[in-house]
Amino acid sequence: MRAQLPPRTLLSLALALLFLNMSWAKRGCSSSSPKLLSQLKSQANITGNTASLLEPYILHQNLNTLSLRAACTEHPVAFPSEDMLRQLIKPDFLSTVHATLGRVWHQLGAFRQQFPKIQDFPELERARQNIQGIRNNVYCMARLLHPPLEIPEPTQADSGASRPTTTASGIFQIKIDSCRFLSGYHRFMGSVGRVFEEWGDGSRRSRRHSPLWAWLKGDRRIRPSRSSQSAMLRSLVPR
């Protein structure tokens, strides 16, 4: 019999293969809407799996008890709800996803402060790279829809930087808050994946414009991540 790989190893391999498309984003966007949609559905579904980030965080931070796991979801950090996402027309939905993932990317960068050696928690940097890959594909899908998409970029106050603390209670609270944030992030990505599934099911539900992002500030056009900008993309996105 062949030895079966552990679930976390299988997930890591799936992520590595799936996000290999990031190298293509550096060269330009695909002109195939079905291909982009398929990639986005897969990316959202995989990153919505708590095994990709939340579970490793819980184990690393010694939060693996019934009471502490419950605390991680008691007061989940606010993310756009699935009902809200379903009400949005496609351009607004893409803008919301792009902006929200920008915030998550910054917040995960702030999480580095919790790990003296970042190599002790490689899932963190992998998650940030994966987010950039998803945002690149969201940007490319938005280009295919033609209308200019306005999104708020994270402000400095929203960068997720944590204030230094030396008290045991303060450190513990940071761990719980981070755990709740990751729980909300996975829940959000699960919702995103389900909405993308509906894009390809042939449904033609009417979606209305809603006042967007009362919790977001700023007003800038959707742009690819810095790591994947090219002269071609910069020429197409007004600054």
Side-chain angles (χ1 to χ4, degrees):
M1 291 181 62
R2 294 182 180 178
Q4 291 187 346
L5 295 175
R8 284 183 61 184
T9 301
L10 291 173
L11 179 64
S12 297
L13 290 173
L15 286 170
L17 290 172
L18 181 61
F19 292 103
L20 190 62
N21 71 81
M22 288 178 63
S23 61
W24 291 99
K26 295 180 181 179
R27 306 175 191 176
C29 289
S30 170
S31 60
S32 170
S33 177
K35 179 180 178 180
L36 281 173
L37 181 58
S38 177
Q39 290 178 349
L40 283 166
K41 287 190 292 187
S42 297
Q43 288 172 321
N45 290 333
I46 288 180
T47 52
N49 187 335
T50 58
S52 65
L53 189 57
L54 176 61
E55 288 300 324
Y57 182 85
I58 286 175
L59 296 176
H60 191 284
Q61 299 292 51
N62 297 316
L63 302 175
N64 192 24
T65 68
L66 290 177
S67 60
L68 293 179
R69 280 179 173 275
C72 285
T73 56
E74 259 178 22
H75 307 286
V77 176
F79 280 85
S81 69
E82 188 164 329
D83 286 342
M84 172 194 169
L85 294 175
R86 285 199 163 127
Q87 291 174 5
L88 302 177
I89 60 173
K90 289 183 178 180
D92 288 349
F93 171 75
L94 293 174
S95 294
T96 300
V97 172
H98 193 277
T100 302
L101 288 181
R103 285 178 163 241
V104 175
W105 187 85
H106 280 272
Q107 184 69 35
L108 295 187
F111 281 9
R112 290 174 178 149
Q113 299 176 26
Q114 301 179 36
F115 305 97
K117 296 180 180 179
I118 193 60
Q119 58 265 33
D120 292 339
F121 190 39
E123 292 88 352
L124 184 60
E125 285 306 304
R126 190 179 304 131
R128 296 184 88 224
Q129 294 172 4
N130 293 343
I131 286 173
Q132 294 291 58
I134 299 173
R135 294 184 89 210
N136 287 335
N137 277 342
V138 168
Y139 167 77
C140 291
M141 179 65 80
R143 283 185 58 203
L144 295 179
L145 297 182
H146 300 301
L149 303 183
E150 301 292 335
I151 67 164
E153 290 288 346
T155 63
Q156 186 173 4
D158 295 323
S159 64
S162 303
R163 295 181 179 179
T165 180
T166 56
T167 65
S169 61
I171 293 174
F172 176 75
Q173 189 59 49
I174 287 175
K175 290 182 179 181
I176 292 297
D177 290 343
S178 299
C179 191
R180 289 170 178 166
F181 180 86
L182 295 180
S183 179
Y185 162 60
H186 287 301
R187 188 178 308 171
F188 168 73
M189 291 309 299
S191 297
V192 169
R194 285 186 286 275
V195 173
F196 274 132
E197 288 289 347
E198 294 177 0
W199 281 28
D201 67 3
S203 62
R204 301 286 298 175
R205 287 178 323 178
S206 174
R207 299 187 181 193
R208 66 178 183 274
H209 286 278
S210 302
L212 300 180
W213 318 307
W215 45 279
L216 293 173
K217 298 178 181 178
D219 192 31
R220 297 183 183 178
R221 295 188 183 277
I222 213 170
R223 294 175 183 173
S225 61
R226 292 181 180 178
S227 63
S228 63
Q229 284 182 347
S230 66
M232 179 189 72
L233 297 186
R234 286 197 299 270
S235 67
L236 291 172
V237 183
R239 294 180 180 272

